[in-house]
Amino acid sequence: MSPSLANRLRIGFAIGFAVLTAMAVIGVGRFIQQRQDFEDAVARSYQVEMGARVRLAHGDGNRQAAEATVAAQGERREELRDQISADTRDTTLLVAAGLIAGLTGALLLFSGLIASMRRPLEELVDAAGRLAGGDRSARVQVGGLSETATLGAAFNEMADELEQEASQRDRLDRLKDEFVLTASHELRSPLTSVQGFAELLMLERDTLTPKQVETVEIILDNCRHLVRLLNDLLDLARSDAGRLAITPAPTEVGRLVDDAVRTMRAQTETANQALTQSVEADLPPIDVEADRIRQILVNLLTNAHEYSPEGASIEVTARAIDAEVEIAVTDNGPGIPESQLEHIFERFVRGDAGLTQRVGGTGLGLAISKSLVELHGGKLEVDSTPGIGSTFSFRLPASSR
Amino acid sequence: MIRVLVADDSETILLLMRTRLELAGYEVETAADGQEVTELMQSGVPGELPDLLLLDAMMPRKSGIDALRELRAAGVDTPALIVSAHQDATDADAPSDLEVSGFVNKPIDFERLLDSIAELTS
C-alpha cells in the first residue's frame, strides 16, 4: 500500500505542530524559569546587603566585613543582570533556531511531496497526450503516493478499454467492408441474369405489346439503377477500406468534358435542358485516371439534370487557375438551402427534390465524387443560392509532364 | 460456324449466354466448371474444338483461371475471355502467362461482348 498524500500531509502537519509547540513551551518555560531564578537571586542579594547595612548602622560586628559584603552584593547583582540578559538572548536564539529548523523541516517535507507528485503527473500528462494523439498503447507505470497510483491505474484501465473498443470497431469496420464487397459481388450474377433476359425480350420487341415493352423497360431501368448502386457501394467500401486506388496519367481536360457531356446529352435533351460546355483554350493536361474524372462529372451532371426543372440550363466549365485546372458544373436549378449544404456530401443524403421528384440517384454520388476528387489531390466544393442555382467545382494540379 | 465454349456454374447464366450467342449466329457449348472445360478441350476432336473460350473467373471445383492455366500449360492457345463479377477487373489483373484476351464484367454488356467475340474469332 502506497502512502497517501492526505496521510502524509496530516503527519507532516502533526509533526510540525508538535515541534513548534514543544519549542514554544520549552522556550517560554525556560525563559520564565531563568527570570524566576534571577529575581530570587537578586532578592537574596538585597537581603544579604540589607543585613550588612543594618549591622553597619548599629555599629556592631566587623564594620570592614559588612562593607565588603555590601560591595560584594552590588557586584553580585551586576553579575546576575549580565547573566539574565545573556540567558534571555540564548533562550531567544534557541527558540528562533527551533522555529527555523521546524519551518525548514516543513518546507523540505512539502517540496518532497511536490517532487513525489511531479513525476507521476508528468508521466500521466505525457501518456494522456499520446493517447489523445492516437497511440492506443500509451500506458503509465505510476507508483509513489496512493492518489497518483490510483490515478495511474484508472488511466491504464481507461486506455485498455479504449484500445479494446477501437480494435472491436476496426474489426466491425473490416467486417462491414468485407460484407459490402461480397454482397456487391454476389448480387452481380443474378443481376446479370435479370438484365440479360430483359434485354433478350427487348431484342424481340416487335412481338411484344406496348404495355409489355414498357414493363421490360422498367425492369431494365431498375437493373441499371441497381448496377449503379452496387458500383457506388463498392466504391465507398473500397474508399473506407483505403483500397480505392487510382492510376493517374496525363489527360486532356477537353476530352473528359466532351465524354461526360456526350453521356448525359440524351437525358438532358429529354428534359429540354440546355447542356453546354465551355473549356478554356490551351488548358494544360491533368494527371488523373480518366474514368474516375468522367465518373465524377457524370455524377455532378446527373444531379444537375435530375434536380433541375425542365428547360433549365446546365454548363460544364474548365479553366486554368495558376498551376491548376478548375472544372465546374453549374445549373440554374432550385439551389440548395443553406441548412442542407453541409450535409450534401454525406452518404444517402439527398436534396428535398430527390424525395419529391422522380430522381433516380442513389444518394451516394456526391460522397463518392468527394472521395474521388480527394484521391486526386483536390477538394470538391459547392456554391449554391436557393432560387438561383448551384455550382459544384474542383481543382486539380496541371500535369507536370 | 464459329464455336464458343461458355463455362459458368449458374445454369441461368449459361442459358442466357447460349441464347444470346446463338442469336448472334455462334455455335455454343457449355461447361459447369473449369474441370469440364479442360476435359472437353483435351478429349475433343481436333477441328471441332471451340474457337473461343468464355470462362467465369470463379467456379467451384476448378475456376476459369485455373482451367486456363492448365490449358495454356498443355499448349492450347485458343483465345479466352474471362467473365468476372468484380466490377472493374482489367487485363492488368490477369497473370501474364494466361494470355487472356480480355475481361468481361458482370452484369454483362452483351453488345460489347459480341464485338469482342467477333474481333477475336475473325
Side-chain angles (χ1 to χ4, degrees):
Chain A
M1 194 55 194
S2 325
S4 84
L5 176 64
N7 279 344
R8 280 214 178 166
L9 282 175
R10 250 178 241 133
I11 293 167
F13 275 121
I15 293 174
F17 189 72
V19 168
L20 292 179
T21 311
M23 289 316 298
V25 168
I26 292 169
V28 171
R30 199 176 139 155
F31 184 74
I32 291 171
Q33 186 62 51
Q34 284 168 347
R35 196 80 216 173
Q36 196 74 52
D37 292 350
F38 166 71
E39 276 162 13
D40 288 352
V42 169
R44 267 198 311 276
S45 162
Y46 273 120
Q47 255 173 357
V48 175
E49 189 184 325
M50 211 49 98
R53 282 189 188 279
V54 168
R55 282 197 301 280
L56 273 178
H58 289 265
D60 50 336
N62 189 336
R63 186 182 173 80
Q64 263 185 345
E67 277 175 354
T69 304
V70 169
Q73 286 311 317
E75 278 167 31
R76 162 89 179 131
R77 284 197 300 281
E78 280 302 311
E79 273 171 28
L80 281 172
R81 273 187 207 98
D82 287 350
Q83 179 69 42
I84 188 70
S85 62
D87 281 352
T88 306
R89 198 183 57 232
D90 287 352
T91 306
T92 311
L93 280 178
L94 186 75
V95 171
L99 280 174
I100 289 170
L103 285 174
T104 310
L107 219 66
L108 286 175
L109 185 79
F110 282 114
S111 67
L113 275 177
I114 288 169
S116 66
M117 278 163 59
R118 197 176 135 185
R119 262 186 51 85
L121 283 180
E122 275 174 355
E123 203 183 327
L124 274 164
V125 167
D126 176 59
R130 278 191 294 142
L131 193 68
D135 177 5
R136 289 173 194 163
S137 66
R139 296 289 185 281
V140 288
Q141 279 189 316
V142 176
L145 298 170
S146 69
E147 281 89 349
T148 50
T150 309
L151 196 57
F155 177 89
N156 284 345
E157 204 175 307
M158 180 191 74
D160 282 347
E161 269 173 37
L162 274 177
E163 191 177 18
Q164 261 176 27
E165 275 170 26
S167 74
Q168 175 86 347
R169 203 176 51 235
D170 285 354
R171 205 175 62 88
L172 284 176
D173 265 358
R174 258 201 314 281
L175 276 177
K176 183 205 73 182
D177 293 339
E178 284 307 314
F179 171 76
V180 174
L181 290 176
T182 313
S184 142
H185 189 256
E186 290 300 319
L187 285 171
R188 267 162 218 280
S189 279
L191 188 57
T192 302
S193 298
V194 175
Q195 184 170 326
F197 283 107
E199 281 171 359
L200 265 180
L201 277 175
M202 285 305 266
L203 285 178
E204 298 168 40
R205 66 185 297 161
D206 298 346
T207 66
L208 301 179
T209 66
K211 185 85 191 159
Q212 286 170 328
V213 170
E214 198 191 331
T215 310
V216 179
E217 271 171 353
I218 290 172
I219 297 176
L220 284 173
D221 258 358
N222 281 283
C223 283
R224 278 189 281 272
H225 185 74
L226 263 178
V227 174
R228 241 167 83 186
L229 197 57
L230 285 182
N231 291 347
D232 284 359
L233 279 172
L234 199 59
D235 278 349
L236 275 182
R238 286 207 182 113
S239 166
D240 287 350
R243 299 213 298 239
L244 192 61
I246 51 166
T247 327
T251 310
E252 296 300 328
V253 180
R255 273 199 52 193
L256 292 175
V257 175
D258 278 348
D259 284 353
V261 165
R262 201 176 315 122
T263 308
M264 293 301 298
R265 181 69 73 196
Q267 293 171 63
T268 52
E269 271 175 6
T270 318
N272 236 346
Q273 292 166 336
L275 175 57
T276 54
Q277 65 189 83
S278 151
V279 177
E280 230 171 55
D282 303 325
L283 271 186
I286 48 177
D287 268 327
V288 296
E289 186 171 314
D291 282 343
R292 292 307 200 174
I293 300 299
R294 255 195 300 270
Q295 184 183 353
I296 297 166
L297 285 176
V298 169
N299 273 340
L300 296 179
L301 284 170
T302 304
N303 283 345
H305 157 64
E306 290 186 337
Y307 286 95
S308 301
E310 290 218 354
S313 301
I314 302 168
E315 186 177 33
V316 189
T317 56
R319 59 185 177 138
I321 298 176
D322 300 329
E324 293 183 313
V325 174
E326 185 194 70
I327 306 179
V329 173
T330 303
D331 67 60
N332 63 352
I336 303 156
E338 205 172 334
S339 61
Q340 286 180 22
L341 267 186
E342 55 180 319
H343 299 295
I344 56 168
F345 293 112
E346 293 166 16
R347 290 159 200 205
F348 298 111
V349 169
R350 301 166 72 178
D352 284 339
L355 305 173
T356 52
Q357 294 176 14
R358 199 195 67 81
V359 170
T362 59
L364 295 172
L366 280 181
I368 292 166
S369 299
K370 181 171 179 279
S371 297
L372 288 175
V373 170
E374 281 165 8
L375 215 52
H376 282 89
K379 187 169 182 292
L380 184 58
E381 300 196 72
V382 59
D383 182 21
S384 183
T385 313
I388 304 287
S390 308
T391 298
F392 288 84
S393 62
F394 55 94
R395 290 187 197 183
L396 298 173
S399 171
S400 48
R401 278 172 275 182
Chain B
M1 205 185 240
I2 292 166
R3 288 162 199 264
V4 179
L5 173 58
V6 184
D8 200 300
D9 53 320
S10 155
E11 281 182 36
T12 322
I13 299 276
L14 285 181
L15 176 63
L16 176 66
M17 296 270 214
R18 175 192 285 281
T19 317
R20 203 64 205 258
L21 292 183
E22 282 178 354
L23 267 177
Y26 295 100
E27 192 178 317
V28 178
E29 278 181 82
T30 57
D33 56 43
Q35 188 63 38
E36 282 186 27
V37 172
T38 49
E39 282 164 14
L40 265 163
M41 292 300 286
Q42 276 153 5
S43 63
V45 183
E48 286 180 20
L49 284 174
D51 303 291
L52 182 90
L53 304 175
L54 194 54
L55 309 175
D56 192 67
M58 303 246 285
M59 288 184 285
R61 277 220 294 175
K62 194 178 284 178
S63 75
I65 303 271
D66 289 343
L68 190 58
R69 181 169 290 125
E70 275 182 35
L71 292 175
R72 293 290 186 246
V76 177
D77 60 355
T78 315
L81 291 170
I82 298 289
V83 181
S84 164
H86 285 293
Q87 173 201 15
D88 46 12
T90 61
D91 299 2
D93 298 336
S96 55
D97 59 320
L98 290 187
E99 293 164 53
V100 172
S101 310
F103 273 89
V104 180
N105 295 322
K106 283 184 181 173
I108 298 165
D109 179 343
F110 276 99
E111 282 177 23
R112 256 172 74 183
L113 174 62
L114 291 172
D115 283 351
S116 308
I117 294 176
E119 199 179 305
L120 288 170
T121 56
S122 62

